[in-house]
PDB file of all heavy atoms in Angstrom:
ATOM      1  N   GLU A   1    -136.098  64.005   0.041  1.00 94.00           N
ATOM      2  CA  GLU A   1    -135.138  64.829   0.782  1.00 94.00           C
ATOM      3  C   GLU A   1    -133.931  65.081  -0.098  1.00 94.00           C
ATOM      4  O   GLU A   1    -133.604  64.277  -0.975  1.00 94.00           O
ATOM      5  CB  GLU A   1    -134.725  64.128   2.081  1.00 94.00           C
ATOM      6  CG  GLU A   1    -133.888  64.976   3.034  1.00 94.00           C
ATOM      7  CD  GLU A   1    -134.547  66.276   3.435  1.00 94.00           C
ATOM      8  OE1 GLU A   1    -134.371  67.252   2.654  1.00 94.00           O
ATOM      9  OE2 GLU A   1    -135.226  66.326   4.475  1.00 94.00           O
ATOM     10  N   TYR A   2    -133.262  66.221   0.119  1.00 96.00           N
ATOM     11  CA  TYR A   2    -132.088  66.600  -0.679  1.00 96.00           C
ATOM     12  C   TYR A   2    -131.148  67.431   0.191  1.00 96.00           C
ATOM     13  O   TYR A   2    -131.601  68.227   1.022  1.00 96.00           O
ATOM     14  CB  TYR A   2    -132.514  67.426  -1.900  1.00 96.00           C
ATOM     15  CG  TYR A   2    -131.338  68.052  -2.631  1.00 96.00           C
ATOM     16  CD1 TYR A   2    -130.650  67.339  -3.606  1.00 96.00           C
ATOM     17  CD2 TYR A   2    -130.896  69.330  -2.308  1.00 96.00           C
ATOM     18  CE1 TYR A   2    -129.560  67.893  -4.255  1.00 96.00           C
ATOM     19  CE2 TYR A   2    -129.805  69.884  -2.951  1.00 96.00           C
ATOM     20  CZ  TYR A   2    -129.134  69.174  -3.927  1.00 96.00           C
ATOM     21  OH  TYR A   2    -128.045  69.709  -4.548  1.00 96.00           O
ATOM     22  N   GLY A   3    -129.842  67.262  -0.023  1.00 95.00           N
ATOM     23  CA  GLY A   3    -128.868  68.093   0.676  1.00 95.00           C
ATOM     24  C   GLY A   3    -127.527  67.401   0.794  1.00 95.00           C
ATOM     25  O   GLY A   3    -127.299  66.329   0.208  1.00 95.00           O
ATOM     26  N   GLU A   4    -126.613  68.002   1.543  1.00 95.00           N
ATOM     27  CA  GLU A   4    -125.347  67.351   1.853  1.00 95.00           C
ATOM     28  C   GLU A   4    -125.638  66.187   2.794  1.00 95.00           C
ATOM     29  O   GLU A   4    -126.462  66.314   3.706  1.00 95.00           O
ATOM     30  CB  GLU A   4    -124.388  68.335   2.511  1.00 95.00           C
ATOM     31  CG  GLU A   4    -124.020  69.517   1.639  1.00 95.00           C
ATOM     32  CD  GLU A   4    -123.154  70.525   2.370  1.00 95.00           C
ATOM     33  OE1 GLU A   4    -122.674  70.203   3.495  1.00 95.00           O
ATOM     34  OE2 GLU A   4    -122.971  71.634   1.852  1.00 95.00           O
ATOM     35  N   PRO A   5    -124.974  65.043   2.604  1.00 93.00           N
ATOM     36  CA  PRO A   5    -125.299  63.875   3.427  1.00 93.00           C
ATOM     37  C   PRO A   5    -125.266  64.143   4.927  1.00 93.00           C
ATOM     38  O   PRO A   5    -126.208  63.796   5.649  1.00 93.00           O
ATOM     39  CB  PRO A   5    -124.232  62.850   3.014  1.00 93.00           C
ATOM     40  CG  PRO A   5    -123.884  63.222   1.619  1.00 93.00           C
ATOM     41  CD  PRO A   5    -123.968  64.723   1.565  1.00 93.00           C
ATOM     42  N   ALA A   6    -124.195  64.765   5.412  1.00 90.00           N
ATOM     43  CA  ALA A   6    -124.086  65.010   6.850  1.00 90.00           C
ATOM     44  C   ALA A   6    -125.150  65.990   7.327  1.00 90.00           C
ATOM     45  O   ALA A   6    -125.699  65.846   8.423  1.00 90.00           O
ATOM     46  CB  ALA A   6    -122.690  65.535   7.179  1.00 90.00           C
ATOM     47  N   GLU A   7    -125.469  66.977   6.481  1.00 92.00           N
ATOM     48  CA  GLU A   7    -126.471  67.970   6.865  1.00 92.00           C
ATOM     49  C   GLU A   7    -127.858  67.350   6.948  1.00 92.00           C
ATOM     50  O   GLU A   7    -128.645  67.675   7.844  1.00 92.00           O
ATOM     51  CB  GLU A   7    -126.453  69.121   5.853  1.00 92.00           C
ATOM     52  CG  GLU A   7    -127.201  70.373   6.296  1.00 92.00           C
ATOM     53  CD  GLU A   7    -128.695  70.283   6.026  1.00 92.00           C
ATOM     54  OE1 GLU A   7    -129.069  69.632   5.038  1.00 92.00           O
ATOM     55  OE2 GLU A   7    -129.469  70.865   6.819  1.00 92.00           O
ATOM     56  N   ILE A   8    -128.170  66.429   6.027  1.00 91.00           N
ATOM     57  CA  ILE A   8    -129.449  65.723   6.076  1.00 91.00           C
ATOM     58  C   ILE A   8    -129.568  64.953   7.391  1.00 91.00           C
ATOM     59  O   ILE A   8    -130.593  65.010   8.079  1.00 91.00           O
ATOM     60  CB  ILE A   8    -129.601  64.754   4.886  1.00 91.00           C
ATOM     61  CG1 ILE A   8    -129.764  65.528   3.579  1.00 91.00           C
ATOM     62  CG2 ILE A   8    -130.802  63.832   5.091  1.00 91.00           C
ATOM     63  CD1 ILE A   8    -129.791  64.642   2.345  1.00 91.00           C
ATOM     64  N   CYS A   9    -128.503  64.261   7.759  1.00 88.00           N
ATOM     65  CA  CYS A   9    -128.533  63.481   8.997  1.00 88.00           C
ATOM     66  C   CYS A   9    -128.686  64.384  10.219  1.00 88.00           C
ATOM     67  O   CYS A   9    -129.458  64.063  11.143  1.00 88.00           O
ATOM     68  CB  CYS A   9    -127.263  62.641   9.110  1.00 88.00           C
ATOM     69  SG  CYS A   9    -127.133  61.351   7.843  1.00 88.00           S
ATOM     70  N   ARG A  10    -128.008  65.510  10.241  1.00 87.00           N
ATOM     71  CA  ARG A  10    -128.151  66.432  11.381  1.00 87.00           C
ATOM     72  C   ARG A  10    -129.571  66.979  11.472  1.00 87.00           C
ATOM     73  O   ARG A  10    -130.095  67.206  12.561  1.00 87.00           O
ATOM     74  CB  ARG A  10    -127.155  67.586  11.251  1.00 87.00           C
ATOM     75  CG  ARG A  10    -125.699  67.201  11.501  1.00 87.00           C
ATOM     76  CD  ARG A  10    -124.831  68.424  11.676  1.00 87.00           C
ATOM     77  NE  ARG A  10    -124.796  69.260  10.487  1.00 87.00           N
ATOM     78  CZ  ARG A  10    -123.913  69.128   9.511  1.00 87.00           C
ATOM     79  NH1 ARG A  10    -122.982  68.178   9.579  1.00 87.00           N
ATOM     80  NH2 ARG A  10    -123.923  69.925   8.462  1.00 87.00           N
ATOM     81  N   ARG A  11    -130.194  67.176  10.322  1.00 88.00           N
ATOM     82  CA  ARG A  11    -131.537  67.741  10.285  1.00 88.00           C
ATOM     83  C   ARG A  11    -132.546  66.838  10.989  1.00 88.00           C
ATOM     84  O   ARG A  11    -133.554  67.309  11.515  1.00 88.00           O
ATOM     85  CB  ARG A  11    -131.945  67.934   8.821  1.00 88.00           C
ATOM     86  CG  ARG A  11    -133.121  68.863   8.581  1.00 88.00           C
ATOM     87  CD  ARG A  11    -133.411  68.938   7.091  1.00 88.00           C
ATOM     88  NE  ARG A  11    -132.257  69.364   6.325  1.00 88.00           N
ATOM     89  CZ  ARG A  11    -132.105  69.170   5.013  1.00 88.00           C
ATOM     90  NH1 ARG A  11    -133.037  68.545   4.324  1.00 88.00           N
ATOM     91  NH2 ARG A  11    -131.029  69.599   4.388  1.00 88.00           N
ATOM     92  N   TYR A  12    -132.253  65.527  10.999  1.00 85.00           N
ATOM     93  CA  TYR A  12    -133.184  64.574  11.591  1.00 85.00           C
ATOM     94  C   TYR A  12    -132.687  64.025  12.932  1.00 85.00           C
ATOM     95  O   TYR A  12    -133.137  62.974  13.379  1.00 85.00           O
ATOM     96  CB  TYR A  12    -133.460  63.435  10.602  1.00 85.00           C
ATOM     97  CG  TYR A  12    -134.301  63.903   9.445  1.00 85.00           C
ATOM     98  CD1 TYR A  12    -133.718  64.513   8.338  1.00 85.00           C
ATOM     99  CD2 TYR A  12    -135.687  63.797   9.471  1.00 85.00           C
ATOM    100  CE1 TYR A  12    -134.491  64.978   7.280  1.00 85.00           C
ATOM    101  CE2 TYR A  12    -136.463  64.251   8.418  1.00 85.00           C
ATOM    102  CZ  TYR A  12    -135.858  64.846   7.331  1.00 85.00           C
ATOM    103  OH  TYR A  12    -136.627  65.320   6.286  1.00 85.00           O
ATOM    104  N   ASP A  13    -131.788  64.751  13.561  1.00 83.00           N
ATOM    105  CA  ASP A  13    -131.314  64.355  14.890  1.00 83.00           C
ATOM    106  C   ASP A  13    -132.333  64.806  15.935  1.00 83.00           C
ATOM    107  O   ASP A  13    -132.272  65.921  16.450  1.00 83.00           O
ATOM    108  CB  ASP A  13    -129.940  64.970  15.170  1.00 83.00           C
ATOM    109  CG  ASP A  13    -129.343  64.508  16.486  1.00 83.00           C
ATOM    110  OD1 ASP A  13    -129.969  63.654  17.150  1.00 83.00           O
ATOM    111  OD2 ASP A  13    -128.269  65.007  16.854  1.00 83.00           O
ATOM    112  N   ARG A  14    -133.274  63.940  16.225  1.00 77.00           N
ATOM    113  CA  ARG A  14    -134.335  64.275  17.176  1.00 77.00           C
ATOM    114  C   ARG A  14    -133.835  64.244  18.618  1.00 77.00           C
ATOM    115  O   ARG A  14    -134.315  64.993  19.465  1.00 77.00           O
ATOM    116  CB  ARG A  14    -135.500  63.289  17.045  1.00 77.00           C
ATOM    117  CG  ARG A  14    -136.010  63.056  15.631  1.00 77.00           C
ATOM    118  CD  ARG A  14    -136.550  64.291  14.987  1.00 77.00           C
ATOM    119  NE  ARG A  14    -137.232  63.983  13.727  1.00 77.00           N
ATOM    120  CZ  ARG A  14    -137.502  64.885  12.812  1.00 77.00           C
ATOM    121  NH1 ARG A  14    -137.159  66.153  12.989  1.00 77.00           N
ATOM    122  NH2 ARG A  14    -138.126  64.536  11.687  1.00 77.00           N
ATOM    123  N   LEU A  15    -132.879  63.357  18.918  1.00 71.00           N
ATOM    124  CA  LEU A  15    -132.452  63.177  20.307  1.00 71.00           C
ATOM    125  C   LEU A  15    -131.511  64.276  20.791  1.00 71.00           C
ATOM    126  O   LEU A  15    -131.580  64.706  21.942  1.00 71.00           O
ATOM    127  CB  LEU A  15    -131.754  61.815  20.464  1.00 71.00           C
ATOM    128  CG  LEU A  15    -132.614  60.586  20.166  1.00 71.00           C
ATOM    129  CD1 LEU A  15    -131.775  59.318  20.285  1.00 71.00           C
ATOM    130  CD2 LEU A  15    -133.803  60.532  21.118  1.00 71.00           C
ATOM    131  N   LYS A  16    -130.621  64.724  19.893  1.00 79.00           N
ATOM    132  CA  LYS A  16    -129.620  65.748  20.223  1.00 79.00           C
ATOM    133  C   LYS A  16    -128.876  65.392  21.510  1.00 79.00           C
ATOM    134  O   LYS A  16    -128.804  66.154  22.465  1.00 79.00           O
ATOM    135  CB  LYS A  16    -130.282  67.125  20.343  1.00 79.00           C
ATOM    136  CG  LYS A  16    -130.947  67.566  19.041  1.00 79.00           C
ATOM    137  CD  LYS A  16    -131.342  69.011  19.072  1.00 79.00           C
ATOM    138  CE  LYS A  16    -132.063  69.398  17.784  1.00 79.00           C
ATOM    139  NZ  LYS A  16    -131.261  69.176  16.584  1.00 79.00           N
ATOM    140  N   LYS A  17    -128.317  64.176  21.508  1.00 80.00           N
ATOM    141  CA  LYS A  17    -127.552  63.677  22.639  1.00 80.00           C
ATOM    142  C   LYS A  17    -126.110  63.390  22.219  1.00 80.00           C
ATOM    143  O   LYS A  17    -125.794  63.338  21.021  1.00 80.00           O
ATOM    144  CB  LYS A  17    -128.174  62.375  23.176  1.00 80.00           C
ATOM    145  CG  LYS A  17    -129.624  62.476  23.596  1.00 80.00           C
ATOM    146  CD  LYS A  17    -129.784  63.192  24.921  1.00 80.00           C
ATOM    147  CE  LYS A  17    -131.239  63.129  25.396  1.00 80.00           C
ATOM    148  NZ  LYS A  17    -131.430  63.817  26.677  1.00 80.00           N
ATOM    149  N   LEU A  18    -125.257  63.208  23.209  1.00 83.00           N
ATOM    150  CA  LEU A  18    -123.887  62.766  23.005  1.00 83.00           C
ATOM    151  C   LEU A  18    -123.700  61.443  23.735  1.00 83.00           C
ATOM    152  O   LEU A  18    -123.998  61.348  24.934  1.00 83.00           O
ATOM    153  CB  LEU A  18    -122.889  63.795  23.533  1.00 83.00           C
ATOM    154  CG  LEU A  18    -122.873  65.151  22.822  1.00 83.00           C
ATOM    155  CD1 LEU A  18    -121.991  66.136  23.574  1.00 83.00           C
ATOM    156  CD2 LEU A  18    -122.391  65.005  21.385  1.00 83.00           C
ATOM    157  N   ASN A  19    -123.246  60.431  23.010  1.00 85.00           N
ATOM    158  CA  ASN A  19    -122.937  59.137  23.620  1.00 85.00           C
ATOM    159  C   ASN A  19    -121.449  59.086  23.918  1.00 85.00           C
ATOM    160  O   ASN A  19    -120.618  59.146  22.998  1.00 85.00           O
ATOM    161  CB  ASN A  19    -123.323  57.993  22.677  1.00 85.00           C
ATOM    162  CG  ASN A  19    -124.820  57.894  22.489  1.00 85.00           C
ATOM    163  OD1 ASN A  19    -125.584  58.234  23.388  1.00 85.00           O
ATOM    164  ND2 ASN A  19    -125.254  57.424  21.334  1.00 85.00           N
ATOM    165  N   ILE A  20    -121.110  58.967  25.185  1.00 89.00           N
ATOM    166  CA  ILE A  20    -119.713  59.003  25.624  1.00 89.00           C
ATOM    167  C   ILE A  20    -119.343  57.646  26.227  1.00 89.00           C
ATOM    168  O   ILE A  20    -120.089  57.093  27.040  1.00 89.00           O
ATOM    169  CB  ILE A  20    -119.506  60.115  26.670  1.00 89.00           C
ATOM    170  CG1 ILE A  20    -119.724  61.486  26.010  1.00 89.00           C
ATOM    171  CG2 ILE A  20    -118.101  60.038  27.277  1.00 89.00           C
ATOM    172  CD1 ILE A  20    -119.722  62.634  26.982  1.00 89.00           C
ATOM    173  N   ARG A  21    -118.207  57.128  25.817  1.00 92.00           N
ATOM    174  CA  ARG A  21    -117.671  55.897  26.406  1.00 92.00           C
ATOM    175  C   ARG A  21    -116.342  56.219  27.050  1.00 92.00           C
ATOM    176  O   ARG A  21    -115.461  56.812  26.414  1.00 92.00           O
ATOM    177  CB  ARG A  21    -117.504  54.804  25.341  1.00 92.00           C
ATOM    178  CG  ARG A  21    -116.985  53.477  25.918  1.00 92.00           C
ATOM    179  CD  ARG A  21    -116.855  52.420  24.846  1.00 92.00           C
ATOM    180  NE  ARG A  21    -116.297  51.191  25.372  1.00 92.00           N
ATOM    181  CZ  ARG A  21    -117.015  50.225  25.942  1.00 92.00           C
ATOM    182  NH1 ARG A  21    -118.330  50.355  26.044  1.00 92.00           N
ATOM    183  NH2 ARG A  21    -116.436  49.124  26.402  1.00 92.00           N
ATOM    184  N   LEU A  22    -116.211  55.828  28.317  1.00 93.00           N
ATOM    185  CA  LEU A  22    -114.980  56.073  29.068  1.00 93.00           C
ATOM    186  C   LEU A  22    -114.065  54.860  28.998  1.00 93.00           C
ATOM    187  O   LEU A  22    -114.492  53.757  28.656  1.00 93.00           O
ATOM    188  CB  LEU A  22    -115.312  56.401  30.523  1.00 93.00           C
ATOM    189  CG  LEU A  22    -116.231  57.607  30.740  1.00 93.00           C
ATOM    190  CD1 LEU A  22    -116.439  57.851  32.231  1.00 93.00           C
ATOM    191  CD2 LEU A  22    -115.698  58.857  30.063  1.00 93.00           C
ATOM    192  N   ARG A  23    -112.813  55.073  29.335  1.00 94.00           N
ATOM    193  CA  ARG A  23    -111.816  54.002  29.233  1.00 94.00           C
ATOM    194  C   ARG A  23    -112.097  52.840  30.176  1.00 94.00           C
ATOM    195  O   ARG A  23    -111.629  51.726  29.956  1.00 94.00           O
ATOM    196  CB  ARG A  23    -110.417  54.566  29.489  1.00 94.00           C
ATOM    197  CG  ARG A  23    -109.960  55.559  28.416  1.00 94.00           C
ATOM    198  CD  ARG A  23    -108.517  55.973  28.590  1.00 94.00           C
ATOM    199  NE  ARG A  23    -108.134  57.013  27.648  1.00 94.00           N
ATOM    200  CZ  ARG A  23    -107.825  56.802  26.371  1.00 94.00           C
ATOM    201  NH1 ARG A  23    -107.846  55.570  25.891  1.00 94.00           N
ATOM    202  NH2 ARG A  23    -107.493  57.811  25.591  1.00 94.00           N
ATOM    203  N   ASP A  24    -112.857  53.090  31.231  1.00 92.00           N
ATOM    204  CA  ASP A  24    -113.199  51.994  32.142  1.00 92.00           C
ATOM    205  C   ASP A  24    -114.401  51.187  31.655  1.00 92.00           C
ATOM    206  O   ASP A  24    -114.877  50.271  32.337  1.00 92.00           O
ATOM    207  CB  ASP A  24    -113.466  52.525  33.552  1.00 92.00           C
ATOM    208  CG  ASP A  24    -114.689  53.448  33.618  1.00 92.00           C
ATOM    209  OD1 ASP A  24    -115.396  53.590  32.605  1.00 92.00           O
ATOM    210  OD2 ASP A  24    -114.922  54.028  34.689  1.00 92.00           O
ATOM    211  N   GLY A  25    -114.918  51.515  30.458  1.00 91.00           N
ATOM    212  CA  GLY A  25    -116.014  50.774  29.876  1.00 91.00           C
ATOM    213  C   GLY A  25    -117.387  51.344  30.146  1.00 91.00           C
ATOM    214  O   GLY A  25    -118.376  50.899  29.555  1.00 91.00           O
ATOM    215  N   SER A  26    -117.480  52.315  31.035  1.00 90.00           N
ATOM    216  CA  SER A  26    -118.780  52.905  31.331  1.00 90.00           C
ATOM    217  C   SER A  26    -119.229  53.824  30.199  1.00 90.00           C
ATOM    218  O   SER A  26    -118.406  54.403  29.481  1.00 90.00           O
ATOM    219  CB  SER A  26    -118.730  53.682  32.652  1.00 90.00           C
ATOM    220  OG  SER A  26    -117.742  54.701  32.596  1.00 90.00           O
ATOM    221  N   GLU A  27    -120.552  53.925  30.019  1.00 89.00           N
ATOM    222  CA  GLU A  27    -121.128  54.763  28.978  1.00 89.00           C
ATOM    223  C   GLU A  27    -122.022  55.824  29.598  1.00 89.00           C
ATOM    224  O   GLU A  27    -122.775  55.549  30.537  1.00 89.00           O
ATOM    225  CB  GLU A  27    -121.916  53.907  27.985  1.00 89.00           C
ATOM    226  CG  GLU A  27    -121.030  52.923  27.226  1.00 89.00           C
ATOM    227  CD  GLU A  27    -121.773  52.183  26.134  1.00 89.00           C
ATOM    228  OE1 GLU A  27    -122.982  52.456  25.954  1.00 89.00           O
ATOM    229  OE2 GLU A  27    -121.152  51.346  25.460  1.00 89.00           O
ATOM    230  N   ILE A  28    -121.939  57.027  29.063  1.00 90.00           N
ATOM    231  CA  ILE A  28    -122.666  58.173  29.600  1.00 90.00           C
ATOM    232  C   ILE A  28    -123.370  58.876  28.450  1.00 90.00           C
ATOM    233  O   ILE A  28    -122.814  59.020  27.358  1.00 90.00           O
ATOM    234  CB  ILE A  28    -121.699  59.150  30.308  1.00 90.00           C
ATOM    235  CG1 ILE A  28    -121.010  58.451  31.481  1.00 90.00           C
ATOM    236  CG2 ILE A  28    -122.423  60.408  30.769  1.00 90.00           C
ATOM    237  CD1 ILE A  28    -119.831  59.217  32.019  1.00 90.00           C
ATOM    238  N   ILE A  29    -124.602  59.301  28.669  1.00 86.00           N
ATOM    239  CA  ILE A  29    -125.349  60.059  27.670  1.00 86.00           C
ATOM    240  C   ILE A  29    -125.583  61.465  28.207  1.00 86.00           C
ATOM    241  O   ILE A  29    -126.103  61.647  29.312  1.00 86.00           O
ATOM    242  CB  ILE A  29    -126.693  59.386  27.354  1.00 86.00           C
ATOM    243  CG1 ILE A  29    -126.456  58.000  26.743  1.00 86.00           C
ATOM    244  CG2 ILE A  29    -127.499  60.250  26.381  1.00 86.00           C
ATOM    245  CD1 ILE A  29    -127.720  57.235  26.464  1.00 86.00           C
ATOM    246  N   LEU A  30    -125.154  62.453  27.434  1.00 84.00           N
ATOM    247  CA  LEU A  30    -125.299  63.850  27.828  1.00 84.00           C
ATOM    248  C   LEU A  30    -126.094  64.605  26.773  1.00 84.00           C
ATOM    249  O   LEU A  30    -126.164  64.205  25.607  1.00 84.00           O
ATOM    250  CB  LEU A  30    -123.921  64.511  27.989  1.00 84.00           C
ATOM    251  CG  LEU A  30    -122.974  63.953  29.047  1.00 84.00           C
ATOM    252  CD1 LEU A  30    -121.638  64.677  28.972  1.00 84.00           C
ATOM    253  CD2 LEU A  30    -123.577  64.078  30.434  1.00 84.00           C
ATOM    254  N   GLU A  31    -126.673  65.729  27.169  1.00 85.00           N
ATOM    255  CA  GLU A  31    -127.308  66.625  26.212  1.00 85.00           C
ATOM    256  C   GLU A  31    -126.245  67.217  25.292  1.00 85.00           C
ATOM    257  O   GLU A  31    -125.142  67.563  25.736  1.00 85.00           O
ATOM    258  CB  GLU A  31    -128.034  67.758  26.941  1.00 85.00           C
ATOM    259  CG  GLU A  31    -129.201  67.325  27.788  1.00 85.00           C
ATOM    260  CD  GLU A  31    -130.358  66.796  26.959  1.00 85.00           C
ATOM    261  OE1 GLU A  31    -130.532  67.281  25.822  1.00 85.00           O
ATOM    262  OE2 GLU A  31    -131.072  65.910  27.452  1.00 85.00           O
ATOM    263  N   ASN A  32    -126.566  67.303  24.010  1.00 84.00           N
ATOM    264  CA  ASN A  32    -125.659  67.952  23.062  1.00 84.00           C
ATOM    265  C   ASN A  32    -125.894  69.458  23.137  1.00 84.00           C
ATOM    266  O   ASN A  32    -126.575  70.059  22.305  1.00 84.00           O
ATOM    267  CB  ASN A  32    -125.911  67.426  21.652  1.00 84.00           C
ATOM    268  CG  ASN A  32    -124.838  67.853  20.672  1.00 84.00           C
ATOM    269  OD1 ASN A  32    -124.005  68.692  20.987  1.00 84.00           O
ATOM    270  ND2 ASN A  32    -124.868  67.278  19.480  1.00 84.00           N
ATOM    271  N   SER A  33    -125.295  70.051  24.183  1.00 85.00           N
ATOM    272  CA  SER A  33    -125.532  71.466  24.465  1.00 85.00           C
ATOM    273  C   SER A  33    -124.318  72.042  25.177  1.00 85.00           C
ATOM    274  O   SER A  33    -123.476  71.290  25.703  1.00 85.00           O
ATOM    275  CB  SER A  33    -126.772  71.640  25.338  1.00 85.00           C
ATOM    276  OG  SER A  33    -126.538  71.096  26.627  1.00 85.00           O
ATOM    277  N   PRO A  34    -124.183  73.362  25.214  1.00 88.00           N
ATOM    278  CA  PRO A  34    -123.042  73.982  25.903  1.00 88.00           C
ATOM    279  C   PRO A  34    -122.946  73.585  27.377  1.00 88.00           C
ATOM    280  O   PRO A  34    -121.852  73.597  27.949  1.00 88.00           O
ATOM    281  CB  PRO A  34    -123.319  75.484  25.755  1.00 88.00           C
ATOM    282  CG  PRO A  34    -124.159  75.591  24.519  1.00 88.00           C
ATOM    283  CD  PRO A  34    -125.016  74.368  24.525  1.00 88.00           C
ATOM    284  N   GLN A  35    -124.070  73.233  27.987  1.00 88.00           N
ATOM    285  CA  GLN A  35    -124.068  72.886  29.402  1.00 88.00           C
ATOM    286  C   GLN A  35    -123.261  71.622  29.699  1.00 88.00           C
ATOM    287  O   GLN A  35    -122.864  71.384  30.844  1.00 88.00           O
ATOM    288  CB  GLN A  35    -125.511  72.708  29.901  1.00 88.00           C
ATOM    289  CG  GLN A  35    -126.304  73.999  30.046  1.00 88.00           C
ATOM    290  CD  GLN A  35    -126.652  74.635  28.709  1.00 88.00           C
ATOM    291  OE1 GLN A  35    -126.922  73.916  27.744  1.00 88.00           O
ATOM    292  NE2 GLN A  35    -126.624  75.954  28.650  1.00 88.00           N
ATOM    293  N   SER A  36    -123.016  70.806  28.659  1.00 87.00           N
ATOM    294  CA  SER A  36    -122.260  69.562  28.850  1.00 87.00           C
ATOM    295  C   SER A  36    -120.760  69.760  28.675  1.00 87.00           C
ATOM    296  O   SER A  36    -119.979  68.825  28.918  1.00 87.00           O
ATOM    297  CB  SER A  36    -122.751  68.499  27.853  1.00 87.00           C
ATOM    298  OG  SER A  36    -124.120  68.233  28.032  1.00 87.00           O
ATOM    299  N   ALA A  37    -120.347  70.944  28.279  1.00 89.00           N
ATOM    300  CA  ALA A  37    -118.951  71.165  27.908  1.00 89.00           C
ATOM    301  C   ALA A  37    -117.989  70.926  29.065  1.00 89.00           C
ATOM    302  O   ALA A  37    -116.937  70.295  28.892  1.00 89.00           O
ATOM    303  CB  ALA A  37    -118.777  72.583  27.368  1.00 89.00           C
TER     304      ALA A  37
END
């Protein structure tokens, strides 16, 4: 594999999720998509 380090990592992001942690300690997983905005 070859490329910019961050671009290589994005290329292999199979899950395409966002891991969110709130101040109350709870954790939420959302789709990495405009619908989560």
Side-chain angles (χ1 to χ4, degrees):
E1 189 57 274
Y2 170 86
E4 298 175 11
E7 194 277 328
I8 291 175
C9 294
R10 288 193 297 270
R11 197 181 303 161
Y12 289 85
D13 185 4
R14 310 298 190 197
L15 298 177
K16 299 192 183 301
K17 303 285 187 180
L18 295 172
N19 293 330
I20 294 172
R21 182 179 177 86
L22 302 182
R23 294 187 186 281
D24 64 6
S26 58
E27 296 186 1
I28 299 167
I29 297 177
L30 298 176
E31 295 292 328
N32 191 350
S33 67
Q35 287 70 36
S36 300

